[in-house]
Amino acid sequence: MALDQLYQQVILDHNRSPHHNGRLDGATHSARGQDALCGDDILIELRVVEGRIEKAAFSGEACAITTASASMLMDWLVGRSLAETTAAYERFSQLLDEPESTDDPELGEMNHLRSVSGFPARVRNALLPWRTTLSALEC
């Protein structure tokens, strides 16, 4: 299996069986993210305790890239602080801008999303869960 096929398979697997999909009871932070061009509409809900994300979930209607990105991000968020999440967003954005760079070991499976870097609309979809999460954490 070629590397690009593996990346695509990981994205498809997260789209078919997204992790942390559904509403989160006891959420302390939430935000809604929308992409007017493609119709993606997601809700990110977080439970933050003592400055760390204890639980994370997303719900809504979204394309495969947004769903896969949200699924991977929800896995990654648990135990993270706002500062860690903000720094990781910057690294993730840079990864999408520079697809030839090496994998960021802190981002784990999210490195697979670099395969969308050549498609500006898809980059926007991959970033939507991140931007929505940061909006939720600012509330």
Side-chain angles (χ1 to χ4, degrees):
M1 177 182 289
L3 190 57
D4 60 337
Q5 292 173 321
L6 172 64
Y7 280 8
Q8 187 168 18
Q9 189 60 49
V10 170
I11 292 169
L12 292 174
D13 288 347
H14 274 277
N15 179 54
R16 284 188 199 115
S17 301
H19 305 174
H20 310 279
N21 184 248
R23 299 298 305 264
L24 178 63
D25 289 335
T28 59
H29 296 69
S30 66
R32 186 173 174 196
Q34 296 175 299
D35 186 320
L37 292 178
C38 70
D40 285 355
D41 184 357
I42 61 171
L43 175 67
I44 300 287
E45 295 177 296
L46 308 168
R47 186 179 314 146
V48 179
V49 177
E50 297 179 6
R52 297 234 171 241
I53 299 168
E54 183 180 88
K55 289 196 174 192
F58 76 101
S59 56
E61 297 292 325
C63 70
I65 297 301
T66 298
T67 299
S69 181
S71 177
M72 291 179 206
L73 178 59
M74 297 302 109
D75 284 343
W76 183 87
L77 281 173
V78 175
R80 309 290 178 163
S81 69
L82 171 59
E84 291 170 320
T85 303
T86 301
Y89 169 74
E90 296 300 326
R91 292 196 318 273
F92 183 67
S93 295
Q94 185 175 11
L95 186 75
L96 296 179
D97 286 341
E98 300 170 10
E100 303 304 320
S101 62
T102 60
D103 281 358
D104 183 322
E106 285 292 318
L107 295 176
E109 283 189 312
M110 290 182 281
N111 285 288
H112 296 295
L113 288 164
R114 98 177 45 211
S115 62
V116 304
S117 62
F119 307 94
R122 303 283 97 181
V123 169
R124 195 178 63 242
N125 295 129
L127 292 173
L128 180 62
W130 282 89
R131 292 181 176 147
T132 307
T133 296
L134 292 176
S135 292
L137 288 169
E138 291 173 358
C139 297

